[in-house]
Amino acid sequence: MDSTAQLMAAFQGTATGVGVPGHGWRICLAHEFQEKRKPFQIANVSPYHVVSHLPLGIRYLVWWCRKTYMEKKAPFIDMMNSVPLRQMYGAPLGGIGGGTITRGWRGEFCRWQLNPGIYHYKTVVENQFTVCIRRRGQTVYQQVLSIEHPHTLQSWNWGYCGNQAFYHALYPRAWHVYQLPGQNITLTCRQVSPIIPDNYKDSSLPLAVLVWDVENSSDEETEVTIMFSMRNGSGAKSDQAGSHWNEPFHVHREGEPVTGILLHHCTSTNPFTLGVGARETTGVHVSHCTEFDPAGLGQEIWTDLLEDGRLNSIQGPSTPSVKGKKTAAAVAAGCTVPPAGQATLEFCLSWDMPRIRFGSGEKEYSRRYTRFFGSEGDAAAALCHYGLTHYRNWEEQIQKWQEPILQDEDLPSWYKSALFNELYFVADGGTVWVEVPVDDKLMNIGEKCLPGMKAILREYGRFAYLEGQEYRMYNTYDVHFYASFALVMLWHQLQISLQYDMAAAVLQEDLQRTKYLMSGSVAPIKTKNVVPHDVGDPDDDPWQKLNAYLIHDTAHWKDLNLKFVLQVYRDYHMTKNATYLRDLWPVCQNVMDITLKFDQDGDGLIENSGFADQTYDGWVMTGPSAYCGGLWLAAVCMMCQMAGILSDSPVYNKFSAILNKGKEAFEKKLWNGKYYNFDCGDQSYFNSIMSDQCAGHWFLRACCLGRAQTEVFPNAHIVSALRTIFELNVKQFAEGQMGAVNGMRPDGSVDTSSVQSDEVWVGVVYGLAATMIHEGLVQEGFVTAEGCYRTVWERLGMSFQTPEAYCEKNVFRSLAYMRPLSIWAMQLAIKERAENQSLNHVPGEAKIVQDCEGYPSVKEKTAE
């Protein structure tokens, strides 16, 4: 039985549900994952690496204690309290930048990010859907649609049979299908979040619609009611702080009535209101319970629903909660379903936290959606109404976007699931999308040096997402380099906005000195004219205080500046935004001039400095390296391209000369006849096969460069290197079933020289697969990427929390990570390849073909 079938092996039902697509990630609610992995800990480090990293460990421990116990802040990376693997998560609810609430694939409300960038992992038991079935005026069945047996609300009927239900996710939508034993009723709950490419209004909304399709296969009329119960809060300590209260609402606009409950969560910082609404249509009745005690037996509300399929609907607000007590509320919608008939019940969950402060509390930001719904904290009801009256249009747009890919028979089914489901991180990456406040430090710099910045940020707002839910740094730039394909392909204005922010950050300096944990050296937090590692910690003051990362002094990293240049040209290539290119051109020159200083022998090729001075921050590179040297030459090539576009002859001549020298040095120093050596150091692993050695070439090909007159790396060498990686890093690792390991030795053994060389980095693998597809190694690319998808989603139970890394056995590192968004680079490679093949057959398109020449013209079908 293959791994996909195993996820559904426990399913004993026959129901297929309403409108559930054929592609996506599907799992029976009774499934149990056999492999239980642990987060990477010091016990997983070899004795050699423990000794070599002992000074780092001591400095980190001292810093961690000061941060935790004296400053009462959470460390930006908490190595002492790694998040354990919970094999439970489904697609998150909500749009981009307004906070998210994640439902588990068994239906739990279990992961919360309402306060910006701060996660807590708490299943709130009372947040449930309950079904009441009535026939001939009598309730014949009432069941909480949960397989759990909690210690609270024991008057409720828990313990639904999980083998009668399944979950299906194709983000931004998901489906729960429940077959009710003995009732001839099937329920399909469709979850819709407004994640819509190039939609900069609705995609920002903090809400999700939950649509229940009821199928009655019995021969008698049946009344079906769905009750949606919700705690006032998110499972955090503040739920018992007191002064929270609930009230009913009714909104009737444009002939569309919506009724529900508002749950006001009155904290001193970042207060919010939850809205639970149901749509009243012909034949649908809506009722509510304003307040019940979620810590009690729950008998009163259970009996109330049981009696007639309706709740008491007492009007007026509840009494504010007292300290130490929790409060909850519920909304019920019901209808009569004819024999062999079908009906629909529609709910919306919204959350309105319009104005936010980060951990420092110094600045207040308005979220993006307040532009359309106001910032007074009274929008939850209006959001519910808007969601319930617009979700069908959202679904039309989502289907229009997804269907061409889903219907492409040349693409394997697992890839279609991976492509869309990995997008969860755009919304659920601790993401914030805010309006720019007055007296903003970066905007002030931008207004002086970046003429187009103000217009972009005023129109589209400011966007940031975390490196990972555990690695709490916004817009970590060496990682965003990989993930940025998802933004530029789907919400390109957010990528442009982020880049303007980063350009202004380049021009900023922070001379306050800090101790860096790896070396123990003391240096400024931010040096001028270098790209920062990140734009800050959500527990501090993002955008105003840069570089939350304290492991290394990244002013001396070799990849950050190059990745800025590569993205600037890539973004221009894809958007044709000439103002953006002109504005960021001087910044590109500044960062390249700084980086040129790392070419100490004048051969046109930069050298690494003998420490982990790039995104592999635990893997030391010395002298010219395949990774940084390749990025450097690709950036130099793109500098020539931009200089040509902008008619900047002096810069063009300067970098053309560097490129010619650098290409020769790169081949001479790193090419060994089969692949590019890891680096030029004297350590034993200098000739390891690095899976990411072609990263610079990947970006060239993504921009239709790297061939003919713009060739940087000989095509034969690139193809040979990719084939070597496939044969060793992929096929010789874990029987070819887990993707590409970062480092392999020429003899086919895993490189264990560092704590990162023996890891698989999922986002790097997707970028590698994209490079393979660009070079015509289509089958190899899909096989390489498939190993990661099958491992993460089907074997290890890491759905909607794809980690940065895993090893062949036992451990993983950093759940819910940014880098795997690079799978969209695979889609770009597939798209450009298909377009080029089509153009090869169209007369009069020779110029376009020449610009993107080099794509193989033989169409290859890939096996699943």
Side-chain angles (χ1 to χ4, degrees):
M1 184 184 298
D2 66 30
S3 53
T4 301
Q6 286 177 359
L7 298 181
M8 285 293 289
F11 183 60
Q12 298 177 7
T14 58
T16 58
V18 175
V20 182
H23 299 289
W25 182 72
R26 184 172 296 190
I27 187 169
C28 175
L29 268 60
H31 181 76
E32 288 289 342
F33 289 96
Q34 297 304 307
E35 187 168 351
K36 311 291 184 182
R37 290 210 168 190
K38 301 291 185 181
F40 182 86
Q41 301 283 1
I42 190 170
N44 305 114
V45 182
S46 70
Y48 169 79
H49 289 130
V50 168
V51 172
S52 63
H53 288 87
L54 187 59
L56 165 66
I58 294 171
R59 283 188 287 266
Y60 177 83
L61 183 60
V62 171
W63 173 83
W64 184 91
C65 290
R66 184 177 70 248
K67 193 79 174 176
T68 303
Y69 297 117
M70 296 178 65
E71 299 180 19
K72 306 295 183 183
K73 294 281 189 179
F76 70 93
I77 298 177
D78 193 344
M79 298 179 185
M80 313 299 288
N81 296 290
S82 296
V83 175
L85 174 59
R86 299 174 176 91
Q87 297 167 317
M88 65 188 300
Y89 296 119
L93 304 170
I96 300 171
T100 47
I101 301 171
T102 296
R103 288 188 76 201
W105 48 266
R106 291 191 176 106
E108 315 95 325
F109 289 75
C110 52
R111 185 170 68 195
W112 305 79
Q113 189 259 140
L114 300 183
N115 282 312
I118 305 299
Y119 279 83
H120 70 275
Y121 305 88
K122 176 72 174 179
T123 296
V124 180
V125 170
E126 57 270 32
N127 293 0
Q128 298 291 345
F129 287 100
T130 299
V131 60
C132 176
I133 306 294
R134 293 173 58 79
R135 293 191 173 104
R136 303 176 188 175
Q138 299 292 323
T139 297
V140 297
Y141 180 88
Q142 187 159 297
Q143 174 72 53
V144 183
L145 295 172
S146 168
I147 68 172
E148 303 299 326
H149 294 84
H151 298 297
T152 57
L153 301 173
Q154 292 188 5
S155 292
W156 295 17
N157 186 22
W158 298 90
Y160 174 82
C161 297
N163 57 19
Q164 297 293 312
F166 67 87
Y167 175 79
H168 187 96
L170 188 67
Y171 189 75
R173 299 191 295 169
W175 294 256
H176 279 95
V177 177
Y178 302 90
Q179 193 168 319
L180 304 186
Q183 302 304 314
N184 293 316
I185 296 289
T186 298
L187 305 174
T188 303
C189 178
R190 184 170 81 256
Q191 168 184 314
V192 183
S193 292
I195 303 293
I196 306 163
D198 282 329
N199 181 317
Y200 298 93
K201 177 187 176 183
D202 291 356
S203 291
S204 73
L205 301 182
L207 62 83
V209 177
L210 299 125
V211 182
W212 289 83
D213 288 305
V214 184
E215 297 174 277
N216 178 15
S217 56
S218 74
D219 57 3
E220 60 181 315
E221 188 175 79
T222 303
E223 183 182 350
V224 178
T225 298
I226 300 291
M227 178 179 76
F228 185 5
S229 53
M230 196 80 184
R231 181 195 294 186
N232 187 326
S234 60
K237 292 181 180 179
S238 65
D239 294 359
Q240 300 184 68
S243 301
H244 309 318
W245 59 286
N246 312 326
E247 63 173 331
F249 76 85
H250 180 77
V251 178
H252 195 143
R253 294 177 184 165
E254 300 176 354
E256 296 281 0
V258 171
T259 295
I261 289 286
L262 301 176
L263 301 93
H264 302 289
H265 198 75
C266 304
T267 52
S268 58
T269 303
N270 298 339
F272 63 91
T273 297
L274 295 168
V276 178
R279 192 177 190 178
E280 295 183 90
T281 57
T282 303
V284 174
H285 56 81
V286 178
S287 56
H288 68 266
C289 171
T290 307
E291 180 181 20
F292 71 91
D293 180 7
L297 294 176
Q299 184 172 0
E300 183 176 348
I301 186 174
W302 186 261
T303 303
D304 186 20
L305 183 66
L306 190 70
E307 285 178 351
D308 59 2
R310 289 170 166 81
L311 298 174
N312 56 26
S313 298
I314 295 174
Q315 297 302 307
S318 69
T319 302
S321 63
V322 298
K323 188 173 183 179
K325 297 291 185 179
K326 296 174 286 188
T327 182
V331 175
C335 62
T336 299
V337 189
Q342 185 174 321
T344 300
L345 302 170
E346 302 157 294
F347 292 87
C348 183
L349 172 65
S350 68
W351 48 98
D352 182 26
M353 184 189 285
R355 297 190 298 272
I356 56 173
R357 291 183 184 273
F358 294 100
S360 72
E362 293 181 17
K363 275 188 176 293
E364 184 176 78
Y365 293 84
S366 294
R367 295 197 194 258
R368 167 73 175 182
Y369 76 89
T370 62
R371 177 177 296 209
F372 315 107
F373 285 86
S375 58
E376 298 306 312
D378 56 0
L383 285 164
C384 283
H385 187 277
Y386 188 86
L388 288 166
T389 55
H390 286 77
Y391 79 89
R392 294 190 185 278
N393 177 259
W394 298 341
E395 290 193 283
E396 289 176 4
Q397 295 179 65
I398 291 167
Q399 288 173 324
K400 183 179 179 181
W401 158 43
Q402 293 184 337
E403 279 304 309
I405 295 170
L406 298 178
Q407 292 177 0
D408 188 340
E409 296 180 356
D410 289 347
L411 300 177
S413 185
W414 69 263
Y415 169 77
K416 297 168 184 177
S417 172
L419 183 70
F420 292 112
N421 285 327
E422 290 289 8
L423 266 181
Y424 83 95
F425 196 84
V426 171
D428 200 21
T431 312
V432 288
W433 188 0
V434 297
E435 303 291 349
V436 180
V438 296
D439 193 29
D440 178 79
K441 187 180 294 185
L442 293 186
M443 182 66 87
N444 291 340
I445 293 173
E447 286 183 339
K448 298 175 183 176
C449 306
L450 303 166
M453 179 175 177
K454 183 175 182 179
I456 288 291
L457 267 68
R458 293 297 183 210
E459 178 63 25
Y460 296 104
R462 166 175 280 165
F463 172 87
Y465 58 164
L466 298 176
E467 178 178 336
Q469 291 180 9
E470 290 189 75
Y471 287 14
R472 213 180 54 248
M473 295 157 283
Y474 273 130
N475 293 347
T476 298
Y477 201 70
D478 55 302
V479 182
H480 173 69
F481 169 76
Y482 296 82
S484 62
F485 282 91
L487 276 192
V488 76
M489 292 174 70
L490 301 174
W491 295 275
H492 67 280
Q493 298 291 7
L494 295 185
Q495 168 67 6
I496 297 297
S497 171
L498 185 156
Q499 285 284 92
Y500 268 113
D501 263 345
M502 197 58 66
V506 168
L507 302 175
Q508 184 178 335
E509 64 181 356
D510 183 348
L511 298 180
Q512 179 182 343
R513 298 175 71 81
T514 190
K515 178 179 286 189
Y516 291 96
L517 301 176
M518 182 66 78
S519 65
S521 63
V522 176
I525 291 175
K526 171 64 175 67
T527 303
K528 190 174 183 179
N529 287 332
V530 298
V531 174
H533 175 273
D534 58 81
V535 297
D537 179 349
D539 206 24
D540 195 356
D541 195 7
W543 297 294
Q544 314 308 311
K545 296 180 181 178
L546 307 177
N547 282 342
Y549 179 83
L550 296 176
I551 306 296
H552 296 280
D553 178 3
T554 59
H556 302 292
W557 274 19
K558 307 306 181 292
D559 61 339
L560 288 168
N561 292 346
L562 309 177
K563 288 173 175 176
F564 179 81
V565 173
L566 293 170
Q567 287 185 68
V568 169
Y569 183 78
R570 190 273 318 273
D571 298 344
Y572 170 75
H573 170 73
M574 296 186 68
T575 68
K576 305 306 179 188
N577 187 330
T579 300
Y580 167 77
L581 183 64
R582 286 194 301 269
D583 283 354
L584 271 59
W585 176 235
V587 184
C588 289
Q589 294 177 65
N590 289 346
V591 300
M592 288 297 282
D593 286 343
I594 289 290
T595 310
L596 185 58
K597 295 177 182 178
F598 297 121
D599 175 15
Q600 296 183 348
D601 58 6
D603 65 351
L605 191 62
I606 63 170
E607 292 92 39
N608 291 90
S609 300
F611 72 99
D613 52 358
Q614 27 65 42
T615 193
Y616 296 88
D617 57 355
W619 200 358
V620 172
M621 296 179 183
T622 303
S625 66
Y627 182 69
C628 291
L631 292 173
W632 164 253
L633 292 179
V636 172
C637 175
M638 291 188 184
M639 288 295 289
C640 295
Q641 295 296 311
M642 289 187 282
I645 293 166
L646 297 170
S647 300
D648 192 333
S649 296
V651 174
Y652 178 87
N653 293 334
K654 171 184 175 180
F655 282 100
S656 291
I658 293 171
L659 183 60
N660 289 332
K661 288 193 301 180
K663 289 194 296 185
E664 181 179 351
F666 188 81
E667 297 299 322
K668 180 179 179 181
K669 294 182 176 182
L670 291 162
W671 179 250
N672 65 17
K674 291 186 66 178
Y675 60 91
Y676 293 103
N677 286 337
F678 178 76
D679 67 8
C680 295
D682 56 9
Q683 66 275 14
S684 60
Y685 58 87
F686 79 95
N687 61 345
S688 285
I689 301 100
M690 185 188 195
S691 65
D692 211 5
Q693 64 184 270
C694 298
H697 182 74
W698 165 37
F699 256 68
L700 289 172
R701 298 297 276 126
C703 300
C704 291
L705 301 173
R707 290 287 196 172
Q709 293 181 349
T710 61
E711 182 179 86
V712 176
F713 312 97
N715 178 249
H717 291 185
I718 290 293
V719 172
S720 176
L722 293 173
R723 290 192 185 278
T724 302
I725 293 166
F726 184 70
E727 290 299 323
L728 290 175
N729 300 57
V730 179
K731 292 174 67 176
Q732 294 297 312
F733 175 73
E735 300 181 345
Q737 301 297 308
M738 295 182 71
V741 69
N742 283 342
M744 286 288 276
R745 300 294 298 135
D747 64 2
S749 62
V750 174
D751 183 341
T752 59
S753 62
S754 83
V755 294
Q756 293 175 338
S757 56
D758 64 346
E759 293 181 325
V760 175
W761 287 12
V762 180
V764 167
V765 172
Y766 288 150
L768 168 63
T771 313
M772 290 175 169
I773 293 169
H774 278 303
E775 292 303 325
L777 304 176
V778 179
Q779 183 71 15
E780 291 88 342
F782 277 117
V783 168
T784 298
E786 181 179 3
C788 283
Y789 174 80
R790 301 283 189 196
T791 298
V792 169
W793 290 79
E794 297 180 350
R795 175 180 152 193
L796 300 183
M798 295 177 173
S799 55
F800 297 97
Q801 53 181 329
T802 302
E804 159 74 319
Y806 56 79
C807 294
E808 183 176 3
K809 297 178 181 179
N810 301 325
V811 299
F812 63 87
R813 185 167 57 78
S814 186
L815 290 170
Y817 199 75
M818 178 199 292
R819 204 181 319 248
L821 284 170
S822 61
I823 194 170
W824 279 85
M826 289 182 66
Q827 186 58 26
L828 178 65
I830 292 164
K831 177 175 177 288
E832 290 187 351
R833 177 179 168 80
E835 289 175 352
N836 190 70
Q837 290 167 354
S838 175
L839 291 175
N840 279 337
H841 298 284
V842 178
E845 298 288 351
K847 182 179 185 301
I848 299 177
V849 175
Q850 182 179 355
D851 287 346
C852 295
E853 69 180 306
Y855 296 95
S857 59
V858 179
K859 193 172 186 179
E860 300 167 11
K861 289 189 70 172
T862 58
E864 293 186 26

